[in-house]
């Protein structure tokens, strides 16, 4: 292997730092959402200084310099846009102004736009999602068939939702936020998919946000959600969606079509094939 040039060495050195410390970016974003920083900027009209953010979020003044560092990390990462007032004279220093980007706009809780903060908090949840990947070396060396999540936590995510109420709530809130966001776009861009259906089974449909959106747009479609008891028990009654407690690996009630949203992402190939076979059986049977 040929010797590297000084430029190549420095480039590699910088990339190692970037990858090795990449977890700081997601940790900083998690912190910003927990503190309510995107919401604070939004409530200031879409732009705010660190002092404004400090006041809006209730942080103590002693943390102001650290808040500026946090905002700098997130600005470099593209979560916020930063600038200084254009009216400043040459050489004059002014307070940096932070504005929302498309990503952080989705994290502002204003009751109007899509709020994806629950999904982001699930992605960056330290004790479950993040810790799943702490021992990938052990997982690769293990001859068993457990997923990294099962090796880290001793059970699948769906069993954990039954055992851990906090994780169950986090999962449900994240799924609701994701479904609300996706269906707003899907019903505008791909509404033809639901034309001609009289019944639809949302497999692993959580709290029924997807099914409810379809039901509102297509009242003639009878929408049903199939999910686990710990999920269904906390689902709100929207009046237009039927909820059924069940196991998608065992059987799926019959319908004209089965909808799978992000369900297959959590399972290995064999499990996915089994779920798809249950869906095929459900569609093949005459709907009730």
């Amino acid at each position: 292997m040929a010797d590297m040039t000084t430029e190549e060495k420095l480039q590699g050195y910088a990339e190692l730092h970037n990858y090795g410390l990449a977890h700081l970016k997601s940790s900083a974003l998690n912190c910003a959402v927990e503190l309510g920083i995107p919401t604070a900027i939004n409530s200031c009209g879409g732009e705010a200084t660190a002092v404004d953010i400090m006041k809006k979020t209730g942080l103590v003044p002693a943390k102001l310099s650290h808040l500026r560092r946090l905002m700098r990390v997130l600005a470099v990462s593209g979560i916020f846009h930063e600038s200084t007032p254009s009216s400043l004279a040459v050489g004059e220093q002014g307070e940096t102004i932070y504005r929302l980007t498309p990503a952080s706009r989705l994290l502002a809780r204003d009751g109007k736009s899509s709020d994806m903060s629950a999904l982001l908090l699930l992605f960056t949840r330290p004790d479950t999602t993040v810790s799943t990947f702490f021992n990938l070396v052990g997982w690769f060396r293990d001859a068993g068939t457990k997923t990294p999540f099962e090796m880290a936590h001793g059970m699948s995510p769906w069993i954990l939702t039954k055992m851990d109420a906090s994780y169950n709530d986090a999962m449900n809130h994240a799924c609701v936020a994701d479904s609300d966001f996706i269906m707003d776009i899907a019903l505008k861009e791909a509404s033809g998919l639901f034309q001609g259906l009289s019944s639809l089974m949302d497999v692993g449909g959580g709290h029924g946000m997807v099914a409810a959106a379809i039901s509102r747009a297509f009242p003639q479609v009878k929408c049903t959600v199939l999910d686990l008891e710990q999920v269904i028990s906390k689902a709100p009654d929207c009046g237009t969606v039927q909820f059924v407690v069940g196991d998608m690996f065992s059987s799926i009630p019959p319908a004209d079509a089965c909808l799978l949203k992000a369900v297959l992402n959590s399972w290995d190939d064999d499990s996915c094939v089994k779920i798809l076979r249950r869906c095929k059986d459900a569609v093949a049977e005459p709907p009730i």
Side-chain angles (χ1 to χ4, degrees):
M1 181 181 295
D3 290 339
M4 292 189 293
T5 65
T6 299
E7 183 179 354
E8 290 173 331
K9 289 179 179 179
L10 291 175
Q11 179 184 349
Y13 182 74
E15 289 180 0
L16 289 178
H17 276 76
N18 187 35
Y19 284 109
L21 298 175
H23 63 280
L24 294 179
K25 298 178 183 179
S26 60
S27 296
L29 183 53
N30 175 281
C31 178
V33 174
E34 292 271 20
L35 291 175
I37 290 177
T39 302
I41 296 175
N42 189 63
S43 67
C44 291
E47 59 179 44
T49 65
V51 174
D52 295 329
I53 295 170
M54 180 189 70
K55 293 176 180 177
K56 285 285 185 179
T57 57
L59 297 179
V60 295
K63 297 292 185 181
L64 180 59
S65 62
H66 301 287
L67 175 61
R68 290 193 177 107
R69 293 189 182 97
L70 176 69
M71 296 302 295
R72 179 60 179 159
V73 169
L74 294 172
V76 169
S77 301
I79 299 299
F80 300 113
H81 174 74
E82 64 176 4
S83 62
T84 53
S86 58
S87 60
L88 292 177
V90 177
E92 185 177 358
Q93 292 187 342
E95 187 72 17
T96 300
I97 297 173
Y98 301 98
R99 296 181 177 86
L100 300 177
T101 63
S104 50
R105 284 175 62 187
L106 294 177
L107 300 173
R109 301 167 181 172
D110 59 3
K112 299 177 182 178
S113 59
S114 300
D115 177 11
M116 301 298 288
S117 56
L119 184 66
L120 186 282
L121 291 177
L122 178 68
F123 287 163
T124 57
R125 189 178 172 92
D127 60 344
T128 46
T129 311
V130 176
S131 60
T132 293
F133 304 100
F134 284 173
N135 190 26
L136 279 180
V137 172
W139 180 78
F140 271 104
R141 295 189 183 282
D142 186 81
T145 59
K146 290 182 178 180
T147 64
F149 192 99
E150 289 171 329
M151 176 171 281
H153 306 292
M155 61 191 76
S156 71
W158 316 114
I159 298 299
L160 185 58
T161 60
K162 188 175 182 179
M163 307 297 295
D164 185 336
S166 175
Y167 181 68
N168 185 44
D169 288 342
M171 177 72 79
N172 289 333
H173 292 326
C175 289
V176 166
D178 189 56
S179 297
D180 185 44
F181 176 82
I182 291 298
M183 290 312 296
D184 181 57
I185 296 174
L187 290 175
K188 292 177 181 176
E189 304 295 333
S191 60
L193 291 174
F194 307 101
Q195 297 287 352
L197 297 179
S198 61
S199 61
L200 180 140
M201 184 63 58
D202 189 356
V203 181
H207 284 188
M209 292 296 294
V210 169
I214 295 172
S215 181
R216 287 192 299 269
F218 302 94
Q220 76 279 9
V221 180
K222 177 184 176 183
C223 294
T224 305
V225 172
L226 174 74
D227 216 314
L228 300 173
E229 192 279 333
Q230 64 265 27
V231 177
I232 297 297
S233 63
K234 294 190 175 184
D237 183 8
C238 67
T240 61
V241 175
Q242 181 181 354
F243 290 89
V244 176
V245 174
D247 181 356
M248 60 187 169
F249 288 102
S250 299
S251 65
I252 296 174
D256 286 347
C258 289
L259 189 151
L260 294 166
K261 175 189 169 292
V263 170
L264 301 181
N265 296 347
S266 304
W267 302 101
D268 58 32
D269 291 347
D270 290 339
S271 297
C272 289
V273 170
K274 190 170 184 178
I275 294 170
L276 291 173
R277 283 175 176 165
R278 297 291 84 80
C279 289
K280 182 180 179 181
D281 294 339
V283 174
E285 296 180 23
I288 297 175

